Amino acid sequence: MRYGLGANRQWVALFALLGALACLLQPAASVKEKDFKKCDQSGFCKRNRAFADHAVAQASTWSSPYNLLSETIAFKDGQLQAVILKSIGTESETARFPVTVSFHKSGTARLTVDEERRMNKEIELRHDSKARKERYNEAEKLVIVGGIEHDSAAEITYQDEKQVNIKYGSEGKFEAVIKFSPFEADFRRDGVSHIQFNSHGWLNLEHWRPKVDKPEAKEGEETPPAGEDESTWWDETFGGNTDSKPRGPESIAMDISFQGYEHVFGIPEHTGPLSLKQTRGGDGHYAEPYRMYNSDVFEYELDSPMTLYGAIPFMQAHRKDSAVGIFWLNAAETWVDITKTKDASNPLSLGAGGKTNTHTHWISESGILDVFVLLGPTPRDMTKTFGELTGYTAMPQEFSIAYHQCRWNYISDDDVKDVDRKFDRFKIPYDVIWLDLEYTDDRKYFTFEPHSFSDPLSTGKQLAEHGRNLVLLIDPHIKKVDGYPVHSQLKSKDLAVRAKGGDAYEGWCWPGSSNWIDCFNPKAIEWWKTLFKYDAFKGTRENTFIWNDMNEPSVFNGPETTMPKDNMHFGDWEHRDVHNINGMTFHNATYQALLSRAKGEYRRPFILTRSFYAGSQRFGAMWTGDNQASWDHLGASFPMILSLGISGYPFAGADVGGFFGNPDTDLLVRWYQAGAFYPFFRAHAHIDARRREPYLLGDPFTAIVTSAIRLRYSLLPAWYTAFFHANRDGSPIVRPMFWTHPSEEAGFGIDDQFFVGSTGLLVKPIVEKDKESADIWIPDDEIYYNYFTYDVVKTQKGKHITIHAGLDQIPLLMRGGHIIPRRDIPRRSSAMMRFDDYTLVVTVAKDGSAEGELYVDDGDSFDYEKGQYIHRKFVLNGSSISSVDAEGRDGKSLRPGNWMKAMQDVHVDKIVVVGAPASWDKQKVQIASEGKTWEVKVHYYAAEKERAAFAVLGRVGAKIGEDWTIDLEA
Ligand code: NOJ
């Protein structure tokens, strides 16, 4: 050998150094981005963008080749049916697309377009594929739960050879104007156009065609320029993986314009701002469309339209006093371009800038075209109507909205028990401790590692002593190994996702070689249920709940870290058709399984999911995956969570502390203060991250974090009430400014502050290093108090105010006019607080009034569906405060169950009236309840400097579930 070992080592070191330097010089973004497709690496996205560009280049000479045949129109019972004819190329070839426009009692309209030839199965599949010949049309079955009852009052109000007009919605406020040549649809409210389909002519439905092998170009000869780019029609390769595409090109795309709307929100999950950016370049814009193709994106980028773990193709447009939206029901890979134009000539335009229109271009790889139209007019209408379609957030297990302690991994039963004791020793409340991957025996789910977790039941028992719970990770990949019954059952019952050849698909994930359960198969769900029975999953008990991870699905050796698109699911649908729903089907299977763990046990499941689709909110919480321990990631979590909240999925959170890396103490402290305002509040860390349980931080940080967690606990009644509203009508749990104040234009772009439910609590978490103040934008003329000091904040509507917030302080204001329910005694867990008395904090509005709500039930069962709940409305009105049933129920017909009976011993203990006028300056007041009256002591504190006057009523003693009135005049 020429070089001795030593010399060789030097070379290795030098190359390593050069390599490291090269990495440093590369923009960080490219490292991960190259693993995922850009639009021009995704054949159908590129083709559709090119189609749109071609249309734009042709300008006024462009005519969309889709014409609705007026003679085919039939209208009956709120539904219009017809056929759209597509002219193909220059020849007289055509393709027929049956179209349905339905009008629903809920006020939504729906356009569906299918391909006749595919409906009739008159196509040939290539490569001996066993896939279905139809376009995927079953998303509705998995996603839509209501709101599609036809509105038979919808009526045609005008029709000629060019168009048909249909009035629908309450009092015929809405109108669809469908033009025939080319096909266009214009959705109007009160006579004004809000949403337009195909007004740019970018509708593109790639029809089925047989593959015609063209003669190969001879050497030296140029390939003749084809009319269309066919290079990705028949197969497509990316990152070394080839997708076989047995049906050839089949994408669907359409332009959807929002007339007069500058802001569009929604289409999570992305890391950019709440108000979506334009995507075709220009200053500050993205150059790529927003992508929705659920993926396990390692170390994801911020401020990016790249895809992430979940997708909700719902978008709402907003302008002063008006909100409208669309839901693009498609489960395949989808891209959305957004551009905006100014329209100064429009008579509606006000001011110098003119009216802004937002144009969007939706592009999906396969499936039918299926779009819902929501005409608002308020953001509240949007979330309500969208929830009617896709379901509202499940009422959570009460514990699940408290604090969760997780890391990858707690390493043994003893470790868990020790962490549990330490939380107690440091008097830090927590409700749940989590076990990640390593609790399993060799990554075989439904087993425990026999040495470290030899006695999980005793762990569960210790946790239960203080009302705490254990969450276990269960992923959809099943280790392919002999002697593992879960795997042998999956195989023998034939319940796995299949590869294109028909055998169970095999890929690589945490356990090594694995197969994947196919939860589109109802039989797979039935089997999955058997695995969770207490006597099957030994070591689990009533306080064990589940975490579903990696369900995009993540496949380490798969294309773009997921499954090949030509894999096959139940019903012979290709994976391409159903990809974005896959995660939800797994979440649903686990939900069904937890519902049936034991006979007679009918409790609310708690399951966290990483992958999701519209509808996943019905099955439990989600979190934003593998973030980083950086300030930027802390800041990015809020637009993400707000976006999810207005898109029907409000039970959302981000890993507190950041998953990758080791947060500095100040970052961790700020993250806890922020996380205490995530609807889902869980700390989590990567296996390589140092331990960071709050008690390890030391003084004063442990104390600061403890008070942030305690703040969350004391406000749990308010949070739970916010969850109740999300469950009833889809209201977001944390609410952005545009949602609460839809008339205040300056607030539409704000996504770093929010209200908690309808409490009037306005939070602006600190997400920057060394920042000791917060600039809070004030949306209205109401009075605002500092939550902690009762200082009246000097505000002016539409202006920012600055408040000081040292590391131990959270910028939290109370808007005047609300009554906030709290529980003030710190305990170990939420369960230990279940029968504690309440405190009500009344924030007196400028006009002297205030109103609030409390919803409470047993937090565990489904008895609330039978009326077993307390729902109070509190009102401060001039000189009285009262509590009445918020739904006007008299309660007499209800036989109280055990929980309701126990609640008869729960009282309002304290009332704090912040901003109390001098009429409260007295020793005592009289309270009347249940036919009795008694006196309650008052301590009145006059205003001092900035601090508002306030009154504290101690030992009020009225039952929380009963009516009562405090009358200052009595
Ligand atoms: C990926 C998840 O995003 C992360 O939270 C988890 O810790 C690891 N999988 C290991 O299970």
Side-chain angles (χ1 to χ4, degrees):
M1 275 247 282
R2 260 198 69 198
Y3 300 107
L5 246 188
N8 206 2
R9 240 188 243 140
Q10 277 165 17
W11 278 107
V12 171
L14 183 63
F15 280 130
L17 183 68
L18 287 173
L21 280 174
C23 280
L24 283 179
L25 292 175
Q26 268 188 10
S30 64
V31 181
K32 300 100 201 175
E33 279 190 0
K34 75 170 175 19
D35 298 336
F36 293 90
K37 287 182 185 174
K38 294 258 174 59
C39 179
D40 67 0
Q41 294 165 315
S42 168
F44 73 95
C45 184
K46 185 178 177 188
R47 293 196 298 272
N48 279 290
R49 259 192 167 186
F51 184 85
D53 288 346
H54 176 70
V56 171
Q58 306 273 306
S60 56
T61 59
W62 170 252
S63 175
S64 164
Y66 296 86
N67 296 311
L68 188 142
L69 305 175
S70 58
E71 66 277 15
T72 60
I73 290 182
F75 185 82
K76 203 172 150 228
D77 289 340
Q79 199 172 57
L80 179 140
Q81 283 178 318
V83 170
I84 291 178
L85 202 68
K86 171 184 184 183
S87 330
I88 299 160
T90 47
E91 288 138 48
S92 55
E93 204 189 331
T94 53
R96 286 165 68 88
F97 292 89
V99 53
T100 307
V101 190
S102 316
F103 302 94
H104 307 134
K105 286 192 172 144
S106 59
T108 55
R110 177 186 193 182
L111 169 75
T112 50
V113 185
D114 205 336
E115 182 179 352
E116 193 170 88
R117 202 162 181 170
R118 299 270 305 263
M119 291 165 86
N120 298 335
K121 304 185 194 153
E122 289 163 352
I123 67 163
E124 285 145 36
L125 300 171
R126 299 169 63 247
H127 313 298
D128 295 325
S129 168
K130 305 281 178 300
R132 283 276 272 272
K133 293 186 169 173
E134 301 97 309
R135 285 179 171 268
Y136 182 62
N137 57 6
E138 294 188 352
E140 169 182 331
K141 276 210 311 220
L142 299 164
V143 174
I144 302 295
V145 294
I148 54 172
E149 210 184 313
H150 288 176
D151 174 9
S152 47
E155 52 168 350
I156 292 185
T157 52
Y158 177 81
Q159 186 170 4
D160 63 15
E161 69 287 356
K162 289 194 179 141
Q163 69 181 63
V164 56
N165 299 8
I166 298 115
K167 286 238 170 189
Y168 68 103
S170 77
E171 294 159 25
K173 270 205 315 204
F174 303 151
E175 186 181 20
V177 175
I178 297 167
K179 295 192 190 136
F180 305 151
S181 302
F183 167 76
E184 282 179 36
D186 183 5
F187 294 90
R188 302 177 179 174
R189 193 180 68 223
D190 297 325
V192 178
S193 170
H194 288 262
I195 300 180
Q196 297 174 349
F197 287 178
N198 200 33
S199 57
H200 292 62
W202 301 347
L203 175 67
N204 188 27
L205 310 164
E206 292 185 319
H207 60 284
W208 183 81
R209 67 212 83 187
K211 179 170 191 308
V212 179
D213 286 320
K214 301 214 169 111
E216 299 246 323
K218 296 207 187 85
E219 230 184 289
E221 243 178 47
E222 291 225 343
T223 357
E228 285 182 83
D229 174 10
E230 297 184 19
S231 60
T232 50
W233 276 11
W234 307 109
D235 50 51
E236 194 168 342
T237 301
F238 178 76
N241 291 287
T242 300
D243 171 16
S244 67
K245 296 180 181 255
R247 299 178 300 229
E250 53 175 331
S251 73
I252 53 152
M254 187 165 69
D255 57 279
I256 300 179
S257 291
F258 299 97
Q259 290 301 108
Y261 289 88
E262 185 169 357
H263 291 273
V264 281
F265 305 111
I267 57 168
E269 182 180 33
H270 297 100
T271 56
L274 179 65
S275 177
L276 301 171
K277 288 191 180 182
Q278 298 189 58
T279 59
R280 301 216 66 179
D283 272 358
H285 305 323
Y286 299 139
E288 287 292 306
Y290 284 91
R291 187 183 190 207
M292 285 178 273
Y293 187 60
N294 296 350
S295 305
D296 182 359
V297 183
F298 179 72
E299 296 192 342
Y300 59 73
E301 302 297 332
L302 298 184
D303 197 7
S304 161
M306 257 181 91
T307 193
L308 270 180
Y309 311 95
I312 303 181
F314 168 70
M315 180 183 275
Q316 58 174 299
H318 190 76
R319 70 171 181 228
K320 188 171 163 50
D321 298 327
S322 181
V324 294
I326 65 113
F327 174 41
W328 180 269
L329 177 52
N330 187 294
E333 177 182 349
T334 298
W335 300 77
V336 184
D337 260 319
I338 300 175
T339 50
K340 298 180 187 183
T341 53
K342 284 253 180 210
D343 176 5
S345 62
N346 192 293
L348 281 178
S349 64
L350 295 168
K355 187 174 78 132
T356 300
N357 299 317
T358 297
H359 312 283
T360 61
H361 185 200
W362 296 70
I363 307 168
S364 289
E365 181 173 16
S366 68
I368 59 169
L369 190 148
D370 196 354
V371 200
F372 290 79
V373 177
L374 291 72
L375 287 178
T378 66
R380 188 177 278 277
D381 292 326
M382 287 294 106
T383 30
K384 179 169 185 294
T385 314
F386 186 51
E388 252 169 82
L389 293 172
T390 61
Y392 296 121
T393 302
M395 267 320 280
Q397 273 284 342
E398 190 178 43
F399 75 77
S400 68
I401 72 167
Y403 173 63
H404 300 251
Q405 182 61 43
C406 186
R407 72 168 280 113
W408 179 17
N409 221 93
Y410 290 113
I411 57 167
S412 63
D413 284 325
D414 287 344
D415 191 11
V416 174
K417 289 176 180 169
D418 180 55
V419 172
D420 180 60
R421 281 187 217 106
K422 290 207 171 106
F423 266 89
D424 284 347
R425 189 170 324 142
F426 285 84
K427 298 197 167 47
I428 307 171
Y430 88 99
D431 266 60
V432 195
I433 187 159
W434 292 53
L435 290 179
D436 205 328
L437 204 50
E438 318 305 339
Y439 79 88
T440 58
D441 181 11
D442 214 10
R443 299 184 172 179
K444 293 185 294 234
Y445 302 113
F446 305 100
T447 67
F448 284 88
E449 205 288 319
H451 305 292
S452 323
F453 292 94
S454 59
D455 195 4
L457 282 177
S458 77
T459 307
K461 214 161 145 244
Q462 177 178 318
L463 297 173
E465 274 160 24
H466 298 129
R468 292 181 180 140
N469 304 278
L470 185 69
V471 168
L472 303 178
L473 181 94
I474 299 276
D475 289 356
H477 46 257
I478 306 295
K479 187 178 172 91
K480 188 169 175 277
V481 64
D482 288 343
Y484 175 32
V486 177
H487 184 262
S488 47
Q489 288 170 23
L490 178 78
K491 273 311 271 291
S492 67
K493 291 174 188 288
D494 195 15
L495 299 173
V497 180
R498 283 167 288 134
K500 64 178 174 207
D503 292 337
Y505 167 70
E506 203 178 313
W508 202 262
C509 206
W510 296 124
S513 182
S514 306
N515 297 120
W516 272 258
I517 178 176
D518 180 12
C519 294
F520 287 89
N521 186 345
K523 286 202 180 117
I525 299 180
E526 286 313 305
W527 169 66
W528 197 240
K529 285 180 180 173
T530 65
L531 302 177
F532 287 84
K533 305 263 180 215
Y534 293 121
D535 48 7
F537 193 175
K538 296 223 159 47
T540 62
R541 53 200 309 285
E542 288 78 357
N543 64 338
T544 314
F545 294 87
I546 301 297
W547 173 14
N548 284 164
D549 189 13
M550 314 295 274
N551 49 339
E552 296 74 27
S554 174
V555 181
F556 294 159
N557 60 340
E560 298 193 272
T561 332
T562 189
M563 267 182 188
K565 287 177 166 170
D566 46 15
N567 268 6
M568 302 273 287
H569 288 268
F570 174 73
D572 294 333
W573 297 112
E574 275 199 296
H575 184 70
R576 136 185 21 261
D577 295 324
V578 300
H579 176 84
N580 281 345
I581 297 188
N582 185 80
M584 180 166 81
T585 63
F586 183 58
H587 196 195
N588 170 44
T590 309
Y591 182 87
Q592 304 304 334
L594 287 199
L595 278 180
S596 57
R597 283 201 285 191
K599 250 211 172 95
E601 183 189 283
Y602 195 48
R603 297 166 61 218
R604 295 174 223 174
F606 169 74
I607 307 142
L608 179 74
T609 184
R610 191 171 72 175
S611 186
F612 59 88
Y613 190 77
S616 293
Q617 67 276 6
R618 308 191 299 257
F619 311 118
M622 62 72 64
W623 95 110
T624 61
D626 299 346
N627 59 1
Q628 293 181 35
S630 75
W631 290 94
D632 288 348
H633 272 263
L634 166 57
S637 63
F638 283 103
M640 292 177 82
I641 289 166
L642 293 173
S643 171
L644 285 153
I646 57 142
S647 306
Y649 208 167
F651 196 1
D655 284 348
V656 169
F659 180 67
F660 293 114
N662 295 302
D664 290 341
T665 309
D666 54 346
L667 172 58
L668 190 55
V669 167
R670 287 301 194 196
W671 213 316
Y672 267 99
Q673 293 172 339
F677 290 92
Y678 291 159
F680 174 62
F681 179 25
R682 182 188 74 153
H684 184 39
H686 187 268
I687 196 161
D688 294 336
R690 285 195 290 275
R691 287 268 174 143
R692 44 165 114 127
E693 288 69 30
Y695 50 77
L696 295 175
L697 297 178
D699 275 345
F701 309 108
T702 294
I704 301 173
V705 169
T706 303
S707 54
I709 299 176
R710 284 188 180 178
L711 175 65
R712 170 64 167 230
Y713 275 76
S714 71
L715 286 169
L716 280 178
W719 281 97
Y720 198 67
T721 305
F723 271 80
F724 160 77
H725 284 297
N727 173 264
R728 280 276 173 110
D729 69 4
S731 300
I733 292 162
V734 289
R735 303 178 177 175
M737 299 298 107
F738 90 85
W739 200 92
T740 56
H741 292 78
S743 310
E744 300 308 319
E745 285 168 285
F748 297 169
I750 294 180
D751 55 14
D752 55 1
Q753 63 175 59
F754 51 86
F755 286 97
V756 177
S758 52
T759 58
L761 288 169
L762 177 59
V763 198
K764 168 125 186 194
I766 300 230
V767 298
E768 278 167 65
K769 193 171 174 57
D770 298 330
K771 183 122 199 216
E772 298 230 319
S773 64
D775 300 326
I776 308 180
W777 182 78
I778 300 297
D780 50 32
D781 274 327
E782 196 40 86
I783 188 169
Y784 283 81
Y785 306 95
N786 182 308
Y787 179 86
F788 302 97
T789 61
Y790 304 161
D791 283 357
V792 175
V793 185
K794 284 196 186 66
T795 61
Q796 201 186 329
K797 176 178 165 179
K799 296 267 180 288
H800 282 88
I801 52 110
T802 302
I803 66 165
H804 178 76
L807 191 59
D808 57 346
Q809 289 164 323
I810 301 174
L812 176 58
L813 304 183
M814 300 189 283
R815 182 177 181 275
H818 298 265
I819 301 183
I820 307 161
R822 279 197 329 214
R823 276 176 161 150
D824 282 349
I825 304 172
R827 307 253 188 208
R828 294 169 204 251
S829 69
S830 67
M832 311 294 275
M833 301 166 82
R834 188 164 289 159
F835 299 111
D836 279 355
D837 288 343
Y838 288 89
T839 293
L840 300 180
V841 180
V842 181
T843 63
V844 181
K846 277 188 174 166
D847 69 1
S849 70
E851 234 181 77
E853 263 181 79
L854 169 75
Y855 172 87
V856 55
D857 60 26
D858 69 15
D860 177 69
S861 78
F862 288 91
D863 287 354
Y864 67 90
E865 290 175 351
K866 300 179 214 134
Q868 299 284 331
Y869 60 85
I870 291 171
H871 186 191
R872 307 306 299 177
K873 181 174 177 189
F874 310 113
V875 180
L876 164 70
N877 204 343
S879 57
S880 73
I881 306 181
S882 59
S883 167
V884 293
D885 189 282
E887 298 168 30
R889 305 172 304 166
D890 69 2
K892 286 192 186 105
S893 54
L894 192 73
R895 278 241 318 267
N898 289 342
W899 174 82
M900 285 284 270
K901 281 190 194 140
M903 284 303 283
Q904 286 172 8
D905 290 331
V906 178
H907 298 88
V908 177
D909 179 49
K910 194 159 88 173
I911 300 179
V912 184
V913 185
V914 182
S919 51
W920 286 89
D921 188 2
K922 41 174 76 185
Q923 305 284 307
K924 48 192 185 244
V925 289
Q926 206 173 70
I927 181 164
S929 183
E930 299 181 85
K932 292 175 272 183
T933 56
W934 63 94
E935 283 179 346
V936 171
K937 278 203 180 138
V938 181
H939 288 278
Y940 184 78
Y941 302 83
E944 224 174 65
K945 291 192 193 142
E946 275 96 63
R947 202 206 61 218
F950 66 100
V952 181
L953 284 61
R955 299 203 176 272
V956 175
K959 288 182 188 163
I960 190 68
E962 296 291 340
D963 291 357
W964 49 261
T965 305
I966 291 170
D967 198 344
L968 290 188
E969 249 113 69

